[in-house]
């Protein structure tokens, strides 16, 4: 079955530290990839997306993600986190041939300390 | 541009009662999705609808749950005879186009947190 896994459930970083959150999926076909963020008390917002082309995609607020097809991965990165990045981050995958639904990972709770 | 609207934001029901969750998509969006998030889990797809049509209900429990998206008005997710296990956050999303890659880009509402006592 198609699935999405996020390896880190809780991450604590100090301000200015670099961030990398892992996301892997299981599927040999074409995928469309998304990272969403949920700030405390707010709804999910789209951070960035990959459909095709350059596998390194840039999103809002200084985030980027790299699609590595051979690894079935779409890791999220930010060179220097801020306290305001404290939030929950969800990786989501659209598997072609599976309708329009998105399959989500379990999320990573990021806490950035001052 | 108003985003996806959901109401109520919080809903408390006793076991056996009915819960009705409403979702208004973004302006110009005609496709709606419902997802459920249980504690400590990611969002799980339930149902995908367009106006007056259910397109994909593969994630919807077979009993007690139903969804509709009428020609006029919001989409409704209805849970009959709620049980404690239905306690969760229910998120609605809408998408901008009917075909092509941008139809996979979904915009989410703030969610309805259902508590069953």
């Amino acid at each position: 079955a198609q699935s999405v896994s996020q390896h880190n459930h809780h991450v604590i970083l100090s301000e200015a530290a670099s961030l990398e959150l892992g996301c892997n999926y299981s599927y040999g076909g074409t995928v469309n990839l998304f990272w969403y963020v949920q700030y405390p008390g707010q709804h999910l917002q789209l951070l960035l997306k990959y459909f095709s082309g350059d596998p390194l995609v840039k999103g809002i607020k200084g985030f980027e993600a790299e699609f590595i097809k051979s690894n079935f991965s779409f890791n999220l990165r930010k060179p220097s986190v801020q306290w305001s990045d404290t939030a929950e981050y969800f990786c989501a995958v659209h598997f072609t041939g599976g309708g329009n639904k998105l399959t989500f990972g379990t999320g990573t709770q990021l806490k950035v300390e001052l | 541009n108003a985003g996806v609207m959901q109401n109520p934001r919080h809903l408390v029901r006793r076991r056996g009662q009915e819960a009705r969750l409403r979702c208004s998509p973004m302006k110009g969006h005609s496709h709606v999705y419902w997802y459920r998030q249980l504690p400590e889990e990611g969002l799980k797809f339930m149902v995908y609808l367009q106006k007056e049509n259910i397109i994909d209900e593969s994630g919807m429990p077979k009993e007690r749950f139903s969804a509709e998206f009428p020609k006029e008005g919001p989409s409704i997710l209805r849970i009959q005879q709620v049980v404690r296990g239905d306690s969760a956050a229910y998120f609605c999303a809408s998408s901008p186009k009917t075909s092509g890659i941008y139809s996979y880009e979904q915009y989410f509402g703030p969610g309805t947190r259902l508590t069953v006592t």
Side-chain angles (χ1 to χ4, degrees):
Chain A
Q2 298 148 353
S3 63
V4 179
S5 58
Q6 291 181 243
H7 319 295
N8 318 101
H9 298 294
H10 293 90
V11 172
I12 301 174
L13 294 173
S14 300
E15 267 206 327
S18 64
L19 170 71
E20 180 158 2
L21 302 181
C23 173
N24 286 86
Y25 63 90
S26 60
Y27 183 62
T30 304
V31 292
N32 298 299
L33 301 158
F34 306 86
W35 275 96
Y36 285 87
V37 60
Q38 188 175 28
Y39 297 103
Q42 296 188 27
H43 61 279
L44 274 81
Q45 299 172 40
L46 183 63
L47 258 185
L48 46 77
K49 62 199 176 199
Y50 172 81
F51 292 137
S52 64
D54 188 344
L56 184 63
V57 292
K58 295 194 185 298
I60 60 171
K61 306 189 182 191
F63 286 90
E64 64 179 32
E66 185 174 11
F67 172 46
I68 302 179
K69 192 173 181 181
S70 57
N71 284 357
F72 303 95
S73 70
F74 189 55
N75 291 357
L76 180 71
R77 299 196 291 248
K78 186 170 183 179
S80 175
V81 294
Q82 300 172 308
W83 178 79
S84 57
D85 293 324
T86 295
E88 189 154 20
Y89 292 81
F90 293 94
C91 177
V93 180
H94 166 255
F95 297 103
T96 56
N100 273 31
K101 62 179 178 280
L102 298 179
T103 301
F104 282 80
T106 50
T108 297
Q109 186 68 53
L110 171 66
K111 183 178 179 183
V112 180
E113 296 178 331
L114 294 169
Chain B
N1 248 346
V4 178
M5 311 282 283
Q6 288 188 250
N7 66 81
R9 295 290 304 272
H10 300 274
L11 182 63
V12 179
R13 285 287 179 265
R14 291 201 181 100
R15 278 179 295 171
Q17 290 185 319
E18 179 180 286
R20 279 187 182 238
L21 289 62
R22 286 177 290 279
C23 168
S24 297
M26 284 180 73
K27 190 174 180 180
H29 290 191
S30 57
H31 289 202
V32 162
Y33 310 78
W34 285 94
Y35 292 81
R36 176 166 65 173
Q37 184 180 26
L38 294 168
E40 304 297 319
E41 294 187 21
L43 282 74
K44 296 273 195 281
F45 169 78
M46 298 181 75
V47 63
Y48 163 37
L49 312 102
Q50 64 183 57
K51 292 277 187 183
E52 300 184 285
N53 268 318
I54 295 175
I55 307 298
D56 180 357
E57 56 181 348
S58 58
M60 189 90 100
K62 295 277 188 282
E63 296 176 353
R64 302 187 299 108
F65 285 73
S66 62
E68 63 175 7
F69 189 15
K71 190 175 179 182
E72 301 291 337
S75 174
I76 307 283
L77 179 68
R78 183 180 175 210
I79 312 171
Q80 295 178 289
Q81 299 175 332
V82 296
V83 301
R84 288 238 173 96
D86 297 333
S87 294
Y90 291 83
F91 290 93
C92 170
S94 68
S95 61
K97 286 189 180 181
T98 57
S99 63
I101 57 173
Y102 291 101
S103 66
Y104 310 132
E105 190 173 320
Q106 297 177 18
Y107 295 84
F108 282 80
T112 294
R113 273 149 185 84
L114 172 66
T115 302
V116 179
T117 61

